[in-house]
Amino acid sequence: MSLKLDGKVALVSGSGRGIGRAIALKLASEGARVVINDLDEAPANETVADIRAAGGGAVACVGNVTAPDFAERFVGTAVEAYKGLDIIVNNAGYTWDSVIQR
């Protein structure tokens, strides 16, 4: 059986937990090599470890997607690790003022 994303490289922001993590795991299960991002190192590394344990390829790029220099570093991680970039999933969420729920 051929993997749909074999040889592709994906960036998934906010992929240390929740929906982003699920997206990263699915991409990896279809053969994509994934650059995992989270604000915190521990959940990012856990997602990387889970993908690698399943036989996939993943590296972490920890940081804040709102930082001025982050996008260049995020893309640079994909290019350095996997020599390219094919898929970008902008999943990370942040709040500028306050959350809707109170």
Side-chain angles (χ1 to χ4, degrees), residues 19-86:
I19 293 170
R21 175 182 165 84
I23 292 168
L25 293 171
K26 179 63 176 174
L27 291 169
S29 76
E30 290 293 342
R33 293 167 292 172
V34 187
V35 180
I36 303 300
N37 161 255
D38 199 273
L39 281 171
D40 302 313
E41 189 172 359
N45 288 338
E46 182 178 329
T47 302
V48 168
D50 289 346
I51 290 171
R52 289 180 178 173
V59 295
C61 182
V62 176
N64 186 335
V65 298
T66 66
D69 65 336
F70 183 76
E72 188 172 331
R73 186 164 60 86
F74 200 17
V75 171
T77 300
V79 171
E80 183 179 319
Y82 299 120
K83 310 298 183 241
L85 176 59
D86 303 289

